Amino acid sequence: MKTLFGIGLIIFGIITFFRYLSTFGMPNFYEAIGAIIGVGLFTFLPGILLIRSENKNKSNSNEN
């Protein structure tokens, strides 16, 4: 379940970033970097951590 939610967050982040680009036109360099950092912190990072957590729990349960 965590993996599914993590993948959903990553897909949401990609859609959000491209929507930002299409809504405001091509931003300057600093705006684009800020958008990448913001989207990364709020969608990509939690998504990746959820996926890793689920995989870690699966590998620990297989060892027992």
Side-chain angles (χ1 to χ4, degrees), residues 6-35:
I7 292 171
L9 273 175
I10 291 172
I11 292 170
F12 176 72
I14 292 169
I15 292 170
T16 302
F17 180 70
F18 285 113
R19 261 195 185 275
Y20 169 77
L21 291 179
S22 67
T23 303
F24 294 108
M26 187 60 186
N28 65 20
F29 177 74
Y30 297 112
E31 288 179 7
I33 295 298

Side-chain angles (χ1 to χ4, degrees), residues 17-61:
F17 180 70
F18 285 113
R19 261 195 185 275
Y20 169 77
L21 291 179
S22 67
T23 303
F24 294 108
M26 187 60 186
N28 65 20
F29 177 74
Y30 297 112
E31 288 179 7
I33 295 298
I36 291 170
I37 291 171
V39 169
L41 285 177
F42 292 109
T43 60
F44 295 148
L45 182 64
I48 291 169
L49 291 176
L50 281 170
I51 293 169
R52 287 181 64 196
S53 172
E54 180 74 18
N55 290 339
K56 188 185 294 185
N57 289 342
K58 284 181 184 177
S59 67
N60 285 344
S61 65

